[in-house]
Amino acid sequence: MHLACLPRPLFLPLYHFQFTLISSNTTVMASADKSPDPTPLGQSMSVGQHMLDKGAMMLQSLKPVKQFSQHVCSFAIYSHDMSRQIETHHYCSRLNQDFLQCAVYDSDDANARLLGVEYIVSDRIFEDLPDEEKKLWHSHAYEVKMGLLISPRVPEMIAMPELENLAKSYGKFWCTWQADRGDRVPLGAPALMMSLQGVKPGLVRPDLVHQRDAKYHIASDSYKTSRLEIPEPEMISPFADYWKQHGKGFAIDIVDSEMILRAPFP
């Protein structure tokens, strides 16, 4: 068969995400930054709905959800708007020794909102990623060593082995619900999140730490001493924490595209 006789791919309009590289000191409107009027969350659950949900819980295995084995609390900053910081609660399951996957909520309350998802990999896996991919990831060493990342209600001695693992890891965190700006439902494109660091504009807001510490009756500063001996990576990758190294962040906007309905010939 001649190549000229092969069927051409069929395209239809579609939306796709487009990355925009922005200066870390630039104010931008990205990822639906301008929130419209508050959207109703919906009606309260009926008694019948509660009964249906309880019945489903009894009949279904929910195996992936039951694999969540740890809860860590920290803070995050928007890659495209570093004036915004949020408290985050990560409920994580371990796929293997080098890979964690986490559902990220805005609190540990029963009615907490699901903000997004974070994938965490060891430095060994991270170093094998393409350099362009590494730019979307952040390091965890600083927030572990400075006591910003905690395991709520878990004694420090018990949490220490996992803290040592996390100090050498990297995370990729997508926020799909920007609840901090008042969105009552998830709006717009996902936002890439970064970890707090020891330089501006990535310094953690003291009021966020004080509020978190008061809730759990802890003093984050006291963890700095107990974590002093936690080993750090010999060198944080220059591609991770991209804003810190290059003064640039990433924003995502939705643009029109063409949708492929028939794959081209191999």
Side-chain angles (χ1 to χ4, degrees), residues 172-216:
K172 185 180 184 181
F173 176 7
W174 291 108
C175 175
T176 55
W177 189 350
Q178 299 184 46
D180 64 297
R181 66 182 182 188
D183 293 1
R184 301 183 68 189
V185 296
L187 299 173
L192 185 66
M193 308 298 287
M194 293 285 129
S195 59
L196 279 300
Q197 300 291 333
V199 296
K200 293 181 179 180
L203 291 170
V204 67
R205 283 170 36 199
D207 61 302
L208 287 180
V209 180
H210 294 157
Q211 180 178 335
R212 193 270 304 273
D213 287 4
K215 176 178 181 179
Y216 293 116

Side-chain angles (χ1 to χ4, degrees), residues 11-12 59 85-86 98 102 117 130 132 156 189 198 209 223 240 263:
F11 297 92
L12 285 178
L59 296 173
Q85 299 181 17
I86 59 173
D98 296 286
C102 310
V117 60
E132 285 299 309
E156 188 80 345
V209 180
Y223 293 138

Side-chain angles (χ1 to χ4, degrees), residues 153-173:
R153 305 181 181 90
V154 177
E156 188 80 345
M157 182 180 298
I158 296 176
M160 190 59 68
E162 192 60 76
L163 291 172
E164 292 176 351
N165 289 333
L166 289 172
K168 293 184 177 182
S169 69
Y170 294 86
K172 185 180 184 181
F173 176 7

Side-chain angles (χ1 to χ4, degrees), residues 61-69 93:
S61 66
L62 305 180
K63 288 181 180 179
V65 177
K66 291 180 179 179
Q67 300 310 306
F68 290 139
S69 58
S93 64

Side-chain angles (χ1 to χ4, degrees), residues 40-67:
L41 282 173
Q43 299 178 351
S44 299
M45 286 179 58
S46 65
V47 174
Q49 187 63 56
H50 277 291
M51 294 178 64
L52 286 172
D53 289 352
K54 293 294 183 181
M57 289 176 62
M58 295 174 61
L59 296 173
Q60 296 178 321
S61 66
L62 305 180
K63 288 181 180 179
V65 177
K66 291 180 179 179
Q67 300 310 306

Side-chain angles (χ1 to χ4, degrees), residues 2 23 38 54 67 70 80 117 120 128 141 147 171 189 201 212 219 230 244 246:
H2 296 292
S23 173
K54 293 294 183 181
Q67 300 310 306
Q70 58 179 299
H80 72 278
V117 60
I120 299 175
D128 287 336
R212 193 270 304 273
I230 291 181
K244 182 179 176 182
H246 305 278

